Amino acid sequence: MPSLHPLLSGFAPIWALIGIGYLVGRSGLLGPHADAVLSRFSFHLAMPAALFLMIARTPLNRFANPSMLAFAAGTALAAGLGLLAAHRFFGRGLASGTIGGMASGYVNSANLGIPVALQVLGDASFVGPVVLFQTLLVTPIVLTVLDTGRAGRRAALTLPVRNPILLAVALGAAVSATGWHPPAELARSCELLGGAGVPAALVALGMSLHGRPATAADTGTGAGTVPGAGADIGAGPGSGAGPGNRRYAEVGVTVVLKTLIQPLAAFAVGAGLLHLPPHQLLTVVLFSALPTAQNVFVYAAQYGHSTALARRSILCSTVVSMATLSLVSWTLGPG
């Protein structure tokens, strides 16, 4: 059973890059719109390159196993409850509420999942199926909702061609299915470009922490939302709290769903319904307890929905998960 110190080493680079981003934003070194530029760079170039190469190199049948059923069940429950809470209790429209659902169930599987899995399990092979599940199933659903709200329902048919993330996923899946191996030059170029995605997203996240007036993207009233869905947060029927308190309450609900409900649901399905062996059960619950991925902030910033919720959910869930991941490894790990 690992101590807390080795687990912290997996979080250190994340906090360091966010901190650097905050200092850069505070100093104005890269200009007032650098965080938006970095987010667009990550969304349009770096992330597609990384996803294409990862999926192209991974057999698609890797995510078809009982452990993934338990993980998918936890994801579906947490994301569904997050979407429901965003709409029912915090007055968000479908598009901005989708960011809340994603923040409640989309795990940081790669840059945190790998070091945590290696430390606790001694094996990071489950990262592949989780990434495939999130990129091949969850991400297309989320981006379709966000893009349809902004561009209109008819545009949904051309979404895979217009959206670089979905295009990369589709091309990677086609390459994987055919067994074709990209040329070494192409693979190396994708590696270099894709390697910049996570650092750029984390630096952009840190820069966005520097205080500035609230925008429509922060409140959830970006293009495609129901008018007033985010700006009136906390002002719905029966609301007795101010907007600030409601925003913190929404982040609290999202973090509880992400760090507590999702792993508990995965445990219930894995242990009670699928009867997974102890090591597989530990693996599923551990990955379900990972914090919200920085991808959520990139998507929120790109589509102009609920950026403040995405940002706070990532930061708070990352802090809380240091305790919940240790608790999972202590309760389910070998003695």
Side-chain angles (χ1 to χ4, degrees):
M1 179 170 49
S3 63
L4 183 60
H5 176 69
L7 286 179
L8 287 175
S9 64
F11 290 85
I14 292 178
W15 291 118
L17 289 176
I18 292 175
I20 290 172
Y22 175 79
L23 293 176
V24 170
R26 185 178 179 86
S27 67
L29 178 64
L30 300 181
H33 306 297
D35 58 331
V37 173
L38 282 177
S39 294
R40 289 197 295 269
F41 164 78
S42 184
F43 182 86
H44 288 280
L45 295 175
M47 280 188 177
L51 290 174
F52 165 75
L53 197 60
M54 184 277 299
I55 295 175
R57 290 175 169 176
T58 307
L60 298 181
N61 60 5
R62 285 190 61 181
F63 71 96
N65 59 72
S67 297
M68 282 308 304
L69 291 177
F71 179 84
T75 299
L77 179 64
L81 290 176
L83 176 60
L84 178 64
H87 176 70
R88 176 66 179 84
F89 299 110
F90 301 105
R92 293 191 181 272
L94 178 60
S96 58
T98 299
I99 294 295
M102 193 180 189
S104 302
Y106 199 95
V107 306
N108 192 335
S109 57
N111 57 308
L112 255 185
I114 291 174
V116 169
L118 289 175
Q119 174 58 39
V120 178
L121 307 170
D123 176 22
S125 60
F126 196 62
V127 170
V130 169
V131 172
L132 282 177
F133 169 74
Q134 293 195 144
T135 55
L136 290 177
L137 295 179
V138 178
T139 298
I141 294 173
V142 169
L143 294 183
T144 298
V145 173
L146 294 176
D147 199 273
T148 301
R150 182 174 69 175
R153 297 185 185 278
R154 293 181 181 178
L157 295 177
T158 61
L159 176 59
V161 178
R162 293 183 293 103
N163 188 294
I165 298 289
L166 296 188
L167 182 60
V169 168
L171 291 176
V175 170
S176 175
T178 59
W180 179 68
H181 298 286
E185 295 80 7
L186 174 61
R188 182 56 180 159
S189 298
C190 289
E191 288 176 354
L192 289 173
L193 184 57
V198 169
L202 291 174
V203 171
L205 176 62
M207 293 180 69
S208 72
L209 295 174
H210 181 57
R212 62 186 181 191
T215 65
D218 292 323
T219 58
T221 56
T225 58
V226 175
D232 294 335
I233 187 169
S239 174
N245 292 334
R246 296 278 285 185
R247 293 191 190 102
Y248 289 121
E250 186 175 20
V251 173
V253 169
T254 301
V255 172
V256 168
L257 289 172
K258 178 71 221 60
T259 60
L260 183 63
I261 301 302
Q262 185 173 0
L264 284 177
F267 174 81
V269 174
L273 297 180
L274 301 177
H275 307 290
L276 296 177
H279 185 75
Q280 291 184 27
L281 184 63
L282 170 62
T283 301
V284 169
V285 177
L286 190 75
F287 272 82
S288 298
L290 289 168
T292 303
Q294 68 276 348
N295 303 42
V296 179
F297 174 77
V298 173
Y299 299 158
Q302 172 65 26
Y303 286 93
H305 292 296
S306 309
T307 54
L309 173 62
R311 176 172 60 242
R312 293 165 183 158
S313 298
I314 293 168
L315 294 172
C316 294
S317 66
T318 300
V319 172
V320 173
S321 69
M322 288 190 285
T324 54
L325 289 169
S326 299
L327 181 62
V328 169
S329 64
W330 178 68
T331 55
L332 299 180

